[in-house]
Amino acid sequence: MLRWLLGAVLLARAAGFYLPGLAPVSFCEPGKDQVPDCKSTIELFVNRLDSVESVLPYEYTAFDFCSEKTMKRPSENLGQVLFGERIEPSPYKFEFKKPAMCQKVCTQTYDTNSPPDKAKLDFLKKGMLLNYQHHWIVDNMPVTWCYDVEDGQKFCNPGFPIGCYVTEAGRPKDACVVNSNFNEKDAFYIFNHVDITIHYHIVEHEQLGARLVAAKIEPKSYENPNDSPDCTGGPKFLKNKQTGVFNIPYTYSINFVEDKNIRWASRWDYILESMPHTNIQWFSIMNSLVIVLFLSGMVAMIMLRTLHKDIARYNQMDSVEDAQEEFGWKLVHGDVFRPPRKGMLLSVFLGSGTQIFIMTFVTLFFACLGFLSPANRGALMTCAVVLWVLLGTPAGYVAARLYKSFGGEKWKTNVLLTAFLCPGVVFADFFVMNLILWGEGSSAAMPFGTLVAILALWFCISVPLTFIGAYFGFKKTGIEHPVRTNQIPRQVPEQSFYTKPFPGIIMGGILPFGCIFIQLFFILNSIWSHQMYYMFGFLFLVFIILVITCSEATILLCYFHLCAEDYHWQWRSFLTSGFTAVYFLVYAVHYFFSKLQITGLASTILYFGYTMIMALIFFLFTGSIGFFACFWFVTKIYSVVKVD
């Protein structure tokens, strides 16, 4: 199994994200009409703007840049809408292999005495103050800004700033440090010019034409004349308290470079390889996996050896006197399968946890094969949402079957709670966050039509499938247990500190969290710091290790509690591994205060609102793993001992 997973990691890395269904586009010089399916015009699309200092992304048009209103916007999938991506055409259009110098795009004029103009200018200033970044796309590939970082490394950022700010004390912020001429105090410097370089690769053996393999940009600032820009002179800046009429001319230059070394299938590699901490990440992940595998092996070995001795000793007891000397976990055989308190709620949680587990497994499996890479925009979230909707049947079946095994008879309440409780909590949180985004005018605010579509998916597909699964679950007989349950509950003896529920639950989440916290850092970076996450092979491996670790840690603690004659294992097994979500929540709080630069009340509320959704999903996911592992363990050990 491990060999297969490592193969998947290498496959995802070596595949270069050549995705099925995403065919390369060929480009030719203008006038070469004899080449079929060969484009001569390169279109540049613009995406939403975001910032590491704010959770709120905004559409390109919100900042009053040069826009193209005549062309139709490309369609977006569900994942792109959920992530706030808003791709739209731009007035930047180029002819292949036709360089251009200092081409004017448009001039935006603002009069500070006009309230609408002043509002637009103030919003542009706010964007520069919070370091909002452009995200441009050429041939489904991000336009990158590459610059040198420490140790002689080059970092290629799939975005570039709209401008920067120099404080009243003369200290340059963010991108203002790249140019010593940005020295005007209390002033905003606007990147109103871009130098674009398109790298292409000539296809020699497949067909005529060329394929684009990289698009790089260098933002600059020029005080250009409005009528005849020449892209020379000092930078364009706006004093913070400046009044009157202010013009911003936008220009661009473009150049084409042939690159024989980069193939189309691996054109994303230069972005991914330049990301910070990438080399450290490989070593850290492998180190973490080796440690967790070693600990898991130790736990499994201890469990197997101890249990083997216990079962052998119990099965060798022939006389009545020996039977009366029973001790440890065999003493509670008549109570171990007693239905738990709040069995309805537990079964509902387990149904939802099963749904999330299958969804995560299938999504990560497809991501390993390259279907959900960064090149396939929005595919990861779309796949997850669609799978969750279609997996209502397993959720209903598991919840109904377990509830019936617990002796429950309120099947209508059970199926309704399975269909609406956990999804309802997530949707309510999401809706409140969406209201905040609406109020802030963010592009991440889901349109009303998409909100209705998601509700339709939930009510018209997921809920009926949950009812179907619950029907088959209640139709089947309850799960047969290997031992009978006594009518009178056995009294649980006084427990030591270490075998009490709360200390055990706290200890149970430490090991599973230890195997994911490194990956968690990079996942949070991809969400909140807008860095690309692409190592799904390692993430799938960590997912498998997490399942194993949750199972073994829960089984180990369950065994200790049964030996202490405490048979209340159902809720405890769920909460033991589910407590990993509490550690995740604590880590998310630490990450917010130590790693992020987020400012503003709205952004803070949004961060913790979305974090609560992730923590709930993770709680149900890990808790279900712990319960089913413990259920299998308890069933197994009580089925192999002789009970009179």
Side-chain angles (χ1 to χ4, degrees):
M1 181 68 176
L2 181 60
R3 185 183 300 174
W4 183 87
L5 288 171
L6 288 173
V9 172
L10 295 174
L11 177 65
R13 178 69 181 154
F17 307 115
Y18 190 100
L19 301 177
L22 286 182
V25 179
S26 296
F27 290 89
C28 299
E29 294 180 57
K32 292 191 175 182
D33 301 329
Q34 67 272 22
V35 181
D37 300 325
C38 201
K39 294 184 176 181
S40 60
T41 302
I42 300 174
E43 296 182 53
L44 189 147
F45 290 90
V46 291
N47 203 344
R48 52 96 173 92
L49 286 84
D50 55 36
S51 167
V52 294
E53 298 181 31
S54 174
V55 178
L56 303 166
Y58 289 101
E59 290 194 36
Y60 178 81
T61 53
F63 290 93
D64 197 38
F65 297 124
C66 303
S67 59
E68 178 67 61
K69 298 179 181 178
T70 57
M71 290 184 62
K72 185 180 178 182
R73 293 177 61 159
S75 58
E76 295 158 342
N77 58 42
L78 181 61
Q80 288 175 293
V81 176
L82 288 173
F83 273 123
E85 293 197 15
R86 297 293 185 270
I87 299 174
E88 52 189 279
S90 77
Y92 297 86
K93 292 180 178 58
F94 326 114
E95 296 296 326
F96 181 65
K97 293 184 72 174
K98 186 178 178 182
M101 290 296 294
C102 203
Q103 295 294 305
K104 182 179 178 180
V105 185
C106 76
T107 299
Q108 301 293 76
T109 303
Y110 304 94
D111 185 355
T112 55
N113 296 318
S114 169
D117 285 2
K118 189 175 185 303
K120 291 177 183 178
L121 201 57
D122 288 344
F123 193 71
L124 186 62
K125 289 179 184 177
K126 177 185 174 184
M128 288 186 277
L129 192 62
L130 294 176
N131 195 27
Y132 269 83
Q133 307 268 318
H134 283 284
H135 293 282
W136 290 4
I137 301 165
V138 168
D139 191 29
N140 195 40
M141 181 176 53
V143 180
T144 58
W145 177 35
C146 297
Y147 51 87
D148 294 325
V149 290
E150 62 230 9
D151 300 328
Q153 299 290 322
K154 188 174 284 291
F155 174 55
C156 290
N157 183 10
F160 64 95
I162 64 177
C164 56
Y165 176 63
V166 177
T167 65
E168 293 181 0
R171 185 175 64 86
K173 285 189 62 181
D174 303 317
C176 278
V177 298
V178 301
N179 193 332
S180 59
N181 292 326
F182 294 173
N183 50 25
E184 189 73 26
K185 295 181 179 180
D186 195 22
F188 293 92
Y189 285 85
I190 302 151
F191 291 123
N192 60 336
H193 175 86
V194 287
D195 285 338
I196 304 171
T197 305
I198 304 287
H199 296 255
Y200 63 92
H201 175 81
I202 299 290
V203 182
E204 298 175 355
H205 303 292
E206 296 182 26
Q207 63 181 18
L208 294 174
R211 293 174 182 171
L212 307 187
V213 294
K216 298 180 181 179
I217 201 167
E218 188 175 353
K220 294 181 178 179
S221 180
Y222 290 122
E223 183 69 60
N224 282 319
N226 295 333
D227 48 358
S228 57
D230 55 4
C231 298
T232 59
K236 183 75 173 177
F237 66 88
L238 167 66
K239 294 290 288 183
N240 191 19
K241 298 175 182 178
Q242 184 172 331
T243 58
V245 179
F246 185 76
N247 297 318
I248 306 177
Y250 290 94
T251 56
Y252 73 89
S253 299
I254 185 162
N255 191 29
F256 292 87
V257 176
E258 183 180 356
D259 196 324
K260 297 181 179 180
N261 299 320
I262 303 177
R263 300 287 176 179
W264 185 89
S266 58
R267 61 182 186 163
W268 284 71
D269 284 5
Y270 84 97
I271 305 173
L272 304 177
E273 289 171 358
S274 74
M275 292 176 64
H277 313 300
T278 301
N279 295 328
I280 300 172
Q281 187 174 356
W282 292 105
F283 174 77
S284 300
I285 292 171
M286 289 305 299
N287 186 49
S288 175
L289 293 177
V290 168
I291 293 172
V292 171
L293 282 171
F294 174 75
L295 290 173
S296 300
M298 292 292 291
V299 169
M301 186 175 66
I302 293 168
M303 292 295 300
L304 288 173
R305 291 191 63 181
T306 308
L307 271 175
H308 181 73
K309 289 180 181 179
D310 282 352
I311 292 169
R313 183 169 66 250
Y314 287 144
N315 287 337
Q316 289 172 0
M317 293 179 180
D318 296 326
S319 64
V320 177
E321 289 79 8
D322 288 338
Q324 289 176 350
E325 294 177 4
E326 291 177 1
F327 63 93
W329 54 269
K330 195 184 177 187
L331 280 174
V332 296
H333 67 81
D335 298 274
V336 74
F337 291 105
R338 190 174 300 282
R341 297 176 182 174
K342 307 290 183 183
M344 170 84 78
L345 187 61
L346 180 60
S347 65
V348 168
F349 282 174
L350 292 169
S352 296
T354 304
Q355 187 178 14
I356 294 166
F357 174 82
I358 301 173
M359 176 197 76
T360 308
F361 178 84
V362 176
T363 302
L364 288 178
F365 180 76
F366 279 122
C368 275
L369 299 180
F371 287 98
L372 309 178
S373 79
N376 204 353
R377 302 175 189 281
L380 186 72
M381 181 59 77
T382 303
C383 178
V385 172
V386 170
L387 280 172
W388 178 84
V389 168
L390 297 177
L391 288 169
T393 302
Y397 179 83
V398 168
R401 189 88 195 277
L402 287 171
Y403 181 62
K404 189 172 183 180
S405 301
F406 293 158
E409 297 178 352
K410 298 178 181 178
W411 64 271
K412 293 180 182 177
T413 308
N414 179 263
V415 68
L416 285 171
L417 285 175
T418 305
F420 293 107
L421 179 62
C422 296
V425 172
V426 171
F427 183 80
D429 190 327
F430 179 79
F431 185 72
V432 172
M433 298 302 105
N434 205 51
L435 287 176
I436 296 173
L437 291 168
W438 265 335
E440 296 290 332
S442 171
S443 68
M446 187 174 295
F448 181 75
T450 309
L451 207 59
V452 172
I454 286 184
L455 286 173
L457 287 173
W458 180 16
F459 284 96
C460 300
I461 299 177
S462 180
V463 171
L465 288 176
T466 306
F467 273 77
I468 292 171
Y471 170 77
F472 286 106
F474 279 111
K475 196 174 181 182
K476 295 199 71 169
T477 57
I479 300 172
E480 293 290 333
H481 301 308
V483 290
R484 291 193 302 270
T485 302
N486 296 335
Q487 291 184 349
I488 302 174
R490 180 186 180 88
Q491 186 175 359
V492 178
E494 184 68 25
Q495 299 292 303
S496 64
F497 175 77
Y498 296 104
T499 56
K500 286 181 179 179
F502 196 60
I505 289 169
I506 292 175
M507 290 187 293
I510 294 175
L511 191 59
F513 179 76
C515 81
I516 65 164
F517 81 95
I518 294 177
Q519 278 291 323
L520 196 59
F521 170 76
F522 292 102
I523 291 172
L524 291 177
N525 264 358
S526 70
I527 296 172
W528 303 114
S529 296
H530 313 296
Q531 295 182 10
M532 290 185 183
Y533 189 90
Y534 65 98
M535 293 195 296
F536 294 107
F538 272 113
L539 185 60
F540 188 66
L541 188 57
V542 169
F543 170 80
I544 299 297
I545 295 298
L546 175 64
V547 173
I548 295 170
T549 312
C550 280
S551 303
E552 291 182 343
T554 310
I555 287 172
L556 185 64
L557 289 168
C558 181
Y559 173 71
F560 290 154
H561 292 131
L562 290 175
C563 287
E565 301 177 30
D566 186 350
Y567 53 84
H568 300 296
W569 61 270
Q570 289 98 333
W571 269 110
R572 186 176 296 168
S573 62
F574 183 87
L575 295 174
T576 297
S577 54
F579 203 79
T580 311
V582 177
Y583 289 109
F584 163 75
L585 200 59
V586 172
Y587 182 80
V589 174
H590 163 74
Y591 178 83
F592 177 83
F593 288 107
S594 64
K595 304 295 181 183
L596 294 182
Q597 306 164 7
I598 290 176
T599 57
L601 180 62
S603 293
T604 304
I605 294 172
L606 287 167
Y607 175 86
F608 287 105
Y610 287 128
T611 299
M612 292 304 295
I613 292 177
M614 290 188 282
L616 173 62
I617 292 172
F618 197 63
F619 171 71
L620 296 172
F621 164 71
T622 52
S624 299
I625 294 170
F627 175 86
F628 287 115
C630 208
F631 181 81
W632 170 84
F633 170 73
V634 172
T635 304
K636 193 73 176 174
I637 64 172
Y638 284 99
S639 63
V640 295
V641 296
K642 292 185 288 187
V643 178
D644 296 329

